[in-house]
Short mmCIF file of all heavy atoms in Angstrom, two decimals:
data_model
loop_
_atom_site.label_atom_id
_atom_site.label_comp_id
_atom_site.label_asym_id
_atom_site.label_seq_id
_atom_site.Cartn_x
_atom_site.Cartn_y
_atom_site.Cartn_z
N PRO A 22 87.92 133.14 139.20
CA PRO A 22 88.11 134.54 138.72
C PRO A 22 87.70 135.60 139.75
O PRO A 22 87.98 136.81 139.60
CB PRO A 22 87.30 134.65 137.46
CG PRO A 22 86.26 133.59 137.58
CD PRO A 22 86.90 132.47 138.39
N LYS A 51 94.54 143.67 136.49
CA LYS A 51 93.19 143.62 137.04
C LYS A 51 93.13 142.75 138.28
O LYS A 51 92.32 143.02 139.19
CB LYS A 51 92.24 143.03 135.97
CG LYS A 51 90.80 143.08 136.41
CD LYS A 51 89.84 142.42 135.44
CE LYS A 51 88.50 142.30 136.14
NZ LYS A 51 87.55 141.51 135.36
N ILE A 54 96.86 143.75 142.15
CA ILE A 54 96.66 145.22 142.17
C ILE A 54 97.60 145.91 143.20
O ILE A 54 97.50 145.59 144.39
CB ILE A 54 95.18 145.52 142.51
CG1 ILE A 54 94.29 144.82 141.52
CG2 ILE A 54 94.96 147.03 142.50
CD1 ILE A 54 93.27 143.91 142.16
N GLY A 62 92.42 152.12 153.90
CA GLY A 62 91.62 152.26 152.65
C GLY A 62 91.54 150.92 151.91
O GLY A 62 90.42 150.46 151.56
N VAL A 73 80.09 141.88 148.17
CA VAL A 73 79.34 141.60 146.96
C VAL A 73 79.94 140.35 146.27
O VAL A 73 79.71 140.22 145.05
CB VAL A 73 79.21 142.82 146.06
CG1 VAL A 73 78.20 143.83 146.65
CG2 VAL A 73 80.59 143.52 145.81
N GLN A 93 89.01 148.46 160.31
CA GLN A 93 88.31 147.74 159.26
C GLN A 93 88.24 146.25 159.53
O GLN A 93 87.24 145.60 159.29
CB GLN A 93 88.97 148.00 157.91
CG GLN A 93 88.77 149.43 157.35
CD GLN A 93 87.39 149.83 157.14
OE1 GLN A 93 86.43 149.02 157.31
NE2 GLN A 93 87.15 151.04 156.78
N TYR A 103 77.71 138.83 161.24
CA TYR A 103 76.89 138.84 162.42
C TYR A 103 75.86 139.98 162.38
O TYR A 103 74.69 139.79 162.61
CB TYR A 103 77.73 138.89 163.72
CG TYR A 103 77.01 138.47 164.96
CD1 TYR A 103 76.80 137.12 165.22
CD2 TYR A 103 76.56 139.39 165.91
CE1 TYR A 103 76.17 136.68 166.40
CE2 TYR A 103 75.90 138.98 167.01
CZ TYR A 103 75.70 137.65 167.30
OH TYR A 103 75.08 137.25 168.39
N GLN A 108 73.63 137.87 156.06
CA GLN A 108 73.40 138.33 154.67
C GLN A 108 74.74 138.62 153.96
O GLN A 108 74.81 138.54 152.78
CB GLN A 108 72.58 139.58 154.65
CG GLN A 108 71.14 139.38 155.14
CD GLN A 108 70.33 140.68 154.99
OE1 GLN A 108 69.99 141.10 153.93
NE2 GLN A 108 70.00 141.31 156.11
N LEU A 143 86.84 136.36 163.36
CA LEU A 143 88.10 136.15 162.63
C LEU A 143 88.58 134.76 162.79
O LEU A 143 88.34 134.12 163.82
CB LEU A 143 89.14 137.14 163.11
CG LEU A 143 88.88 138.64 162.98
CD1 LEU A 143 90.09 139.45 163.50
CD2 LEU A 143 88.59 138.99 161.53
N ASP A 164 87.77 129.68 152.44
CA ASP A 164 86.87 129.86 153.62
C ASP A 164 85.98 131.09 153.36
O ASP A 164 86.43 132.07 152.79
CB ASP A 164 87.69 130.04 154.87
CG ASP A 164 86.90 129.81 156.12
OD1 ASP A 164 86.18 130.73 156.53
OD2 ASP A 164 87.02 128.72 156.67
N ASN A 165 84.76 131.03 153.87
CA ASN A 165 83.87 132.14 153.65
C ASN A 165 83.94 133.19 154.80
O ASN A 165 83.03 134.02 154.89
CB ASN A 165 82.45 131.58 153.52
CG ASN A 165 82.15 131.00 152.20
OD1 ASN A 165 82.84 131.34 151.22
ND2 ASN A 165 81.26 130.04 152.10
N ASN A 166 84.97 133.14 155.53
CA ASN A 166 85.14 134.09 156.61
C ASN A 166 86.44 134.85 156.53
O ASN A 166 87.39 134.37 155.87
CB ASN A 166 85.13 133.30 157.97
CG ASN A 166 83.81 132.68 158.23
OD1 ASN A 166 82.84 133.33 158.61
ND2 ASN A 166 83.70 131.39 157.95
N ARG A 239 92.98 130.24 165.82
CA ARG A 239 91.55 130.28 165.97
C ARG A 239 90.93 129.84 164.67
O ARG A 239 91.13 130.57 163.69
CB ARG A 239 91.12 131.71 166.36
CG ARG A 239 89.62 131.78 166.61
CD ARG A 239 89.26 133.23 166.93
NE ARG A 239 87.85 133.35 167.33
CZ ARG A 239 87.44 133.77 168.47
NH1 ARG A 239 88.26 134.24 169.36
NH2 ARG A 239 86.14 133.83 168.69
N ASN B 101 70.10 141.47 165.50
CA ASN B 101 71.53 141.49 165.68
C ASN B 101 72.12 142.86 165.54
O ASN B 101 73.32 143.11 165.92
CB ASN B 101 72.25 140.58 164.67
CG ASN B 101 72.28 139.14 165.10
OD1 ASN B 101 71.61 138.78 166.05
ND2 ASN B 101 73.11 138.36 164.47
N LYS B 110 70.21 142.63 151.73
CA LYS B 110 70.94 142.18 150.55
C LYS B 110 70.04 142.31 149.31
O LYS B 110 70.50 142.67 148.25
CB LYS B 110 71.41 140.76 150.78
CG LYS B 110 72.35 140.34 149.71
CD LYS B 110 73.00 138.93 149.98
CE LYS B 110 74.00 138.65 148.94
NZ LYS B 110 74.64 137.33 149.16
N GLY B 123 84.11 154.95 158.66
CA GLY B 123 84.72 153.63 158.40
C GLY B 123 84.09 152.99 157.16
O GLY B 123 84.76 152.21 156.45
N SER B 126 85.48 153.46 152.85
CA SER B 126 86.30 152.56 151.99
C SER B 126 85.59 151.30 151.66
O SER B 126 85.87 150.72 150.62
CB SER B 126 87.65 152.25 152.69
OG SER B 126 87.53 151.90 154.03
N TYR B 133 84.44 149.13 143.57
CA TYR B 133 85.54 148.46 142.99
C TYR B 133 85.05 147.12 142.35
O TYR B 133 85.46 146.74 141.23
CB TYR B 133 86.65 148.19 144.02
CG TYR B 133 87.80 147.50 143.48
CD1 TYR B 133 88.85 148.25 142.90
CD2 TYR B 133 87.92 146.09 143.45
CE1 TYR B 133 89.94 147.57 142.39
CE2 TYR B 133 89.02 145.47 142.94
CZ TYR B 133 90.02 146.23 142.38
OH TYR B 133 91.12 145.60 141.83
N TYR B 137 85.31 145.74 138.60
CA TYR B 137 85.94 144.46 138.38
C TYR B 137 85.03 143.58 137.54
O TYR B 137 85.49 142.86 136.63
CB TYR B 137 86.25 143.85 139.74
CG TYR B 137 87.14 142.60 139.75
CD1 TYR B 137 88.47 142.73 139.93
CD2 TYR B 137 86.52 141.32 139.66
CE1 TYR B 137 89.25 141.59 139.96
CE2 TYR B 137 87.37 140.18 139.69
CZ TYR B 137 88.72 140.31 139.90
OH TYR B 137 89.48 139.20 139.95
N ARG B 138 83.73 143.61 137.88
CA ARG B 138 82.80 142.72 137.18
C ARG B 138 82.14 143.35 136.00
O ARG B 138 81.37 142.65 135.30
CB ARG B 138 81.72 142.29 138.13
CG ARG B 138 82.15 141.37 139.24
CD ARG B 138 80.94 140.96 140.03
NE ARG B 138 81.18 139.79 140.75
CZ ARG B 138 80.71 139.66 142.04
NH1 ARG B 138 80.00 140.58 142.59
NH2 ARG B 138 80.98 138.52 142.71
N GLU B 160 91.54 158.22 152.31
CA GLU B 160 92.07 157.03 151.66
C GLU B 160 91.06 156.54 150.63
O GLU B 160 91.41 156.18 149.51
CB GLU B 160 92.42 155.98 152.63
CG GLU B 160 93.59 156.40 153.60
CD GLU B 160 94.15 155.23 154.41
OE1 GLU B 160 93.95 154.07 154.09
OE2 GLU B 160 94.81 155.58 155.43
N LEU B 317 72.28 133.03 169.72
CA LEU B 317 73.40 133.86 170.17
C LEU B 317 74.64 133.68 169.29
O LEU B 317 75.27 134.64 168.93
CB LEU B 317 73.69 133.52 171.66
CG LEU B 317 74.79 134.42 172.30
CD1 LEU B 317 74.39 135.87 172.32
CD2 LEU B 317 74.98 133.91 173.76
N TYR B 322 80.21 133.05 162.46
CA TYR B 322 80.96 132.63 161.29
C TYR B 322 79.96 132.17 160.20
O TYR B 322 79.00 131.58 160.50
CB TYR B 322 81.91 131.43 161.64
CG TYR B 322 83.06 131.87 162.54
CD1 TYR B 322 82.98 131.75 163.92
CD2 TYR B 322 84.13 132.50 161.97
CE1 TYR B 322 84.04 132.18 164.72
CE2 TYR B 322 85.20 132.97 162.78
CZ TYR B 322 85.13 132.80 164.13
OH TYR B 322 86.15 133.25 164.93
N ALA B 323 80.35 132.48 158.99
CA ALA B 323 79.53 132.00 157.88
C ALA B 323 79.91 130.55 157.63
O ALA B 323 81.07 130.13 157.88
CB ALA B 323 79.92 132.85 156.65
N ASN B 325 80.86 127.27 155.54
CA ASN B 325 81.59 126.99 154.30
C ASN B 325 80.83 125.93 153.55
O ASN B 325 80.74 124.80 154.07
CB ASN B 325 83.00 126.54 154.59
CG ASN B 325 83.84 127.66 155.17
OD1 ASN B 325 83.91 128.75 154.58
ND2 ASN B 325 84.45 127.43 156.27
#
Side-chain angles (χ1 to χ4, degrees):
Chain A
K51 186 184 167 187
I54 304 124
V73 286
Q93 290 298 358
Y103 198 76
Q108 294 183 69
L143 298 180
D164 198 281
N165 284 334
N166 295 283
R239 185 181 184 123
Chain B
N101 274 16
K110 189 173 185 178
S126 50
Y133 181 86
Y137 190 92
R138 288 185 163 141
E160 295 191 20
L317 184 60
Y322 290 97
N325 291 309

